[in-house]
Amino acid sequence: MMDTTRALKKYKKIAVIGFSPKPYRDSNRIAVYMKNAGYIVYGVNPGHGGEIIDGIECFGKISDIKDNIEIVNIFRNPSALPELIDEIIELPYKPDVIWTQLGVVNKAAKDKAVQNGFEYIEDKCIYVEHKLYM
């Protein structure tokens, strides 16, 4: 398992799955924070593909992003994780880390991701980890 500090130091391209256009939502606030901290951040939200929200380019699905994402940060219901892991596995490149936010826990999805060679950080807030350790 990859340590959060090492991931945040090594990787700079983040896709935020479940990115909200609403500035009061955690997924929006944290994505904007990470962008302002020097990371390249892409939003993923099926209803907002093609938009730029708070300076973050949005895509309908992760496979629409042409850049090689290094960290996939997930703000979704845990029940959506198995399908998301399948979509990530099918990408033409392999993201380095799958990172689920607080409360986003699904053992089957985690096991499948790890079995497919992904580093997996689970149930941790990327914002909190960045504020504490960077």
Side-chain angles (χ1 to χ4, degrees):
M1 277 301 150
M2 176 161 276
D3 145 296
T4 59
T5 305
R6 197 167 100 226
L8 290 168
K9 284 182 179 175
K10 185 172 183 179
Y11 304 118
K12 299 299 176 195
K13 295 178 186 176
I14 303 171
V16 177
I17 310 285
F19 177 73
S20 175
K22 299 172 183 166
Y24 58 86
R25 300 290 303 262
D26 287 342
S27 63
N28 178 290
R29 289 185 307 103
I30 291 170
V32 170
Y33 168 85
M34 296 305 289
K35 178 180 73 77
N36 291 339
Y39 294 83
I40 297 166
V41 178
Y42 299 98
V44 178
N45 181 317
H48 296 281
E51 295 179 30
I52 295 179
I53 298 167
D54 296 324
I56 295 173
E57 190 174 2
C58 253
F59 295 85
K61 55 188 189 261
I62 193 169
S63 58
D64 292 339
I65 301 171
K66 297 307 173 212
D67 202 355
N68 288 356
I69 299 303
E70 297 167 320
I71 298 174
V72 179
N73 186 224
I74 302 174
F75 284 86
R76 292 287 312 276
N77 187 296
S79 65
L81 277 178
E83 187 177 321
L84 281 170
I85 297 303
D86 288 341
E87 186 177 349
I88 293 165
I89 289 168
E90 294 301 317
L91 290 172
Y93 62 91
K94 182 178 174 182
D96 299 281
V97 178
I98 297 172
W99 185 318
T100 69
Q101 284 295 124
L102 293 171
V104 183
V105 177
N106 181 305
K107 184 177 178 345
K110 177 182 179 179
D111 290 347
K112 187 170 191 176
V114 171
Q115 288 166 2
N116 279 275
F118 292 94
E119 293 289 345
Y120 202 88
I121 297 171
E122 180 179 53
D123 196 26
K124 290 190 182 289
C125 179
I126 199 168
Y127 165 83
V128 170
E129 296 296 311
H130 188 270
K131 288 287 274 186
L132 287 174
Y133 304 113
M134 297 297 288

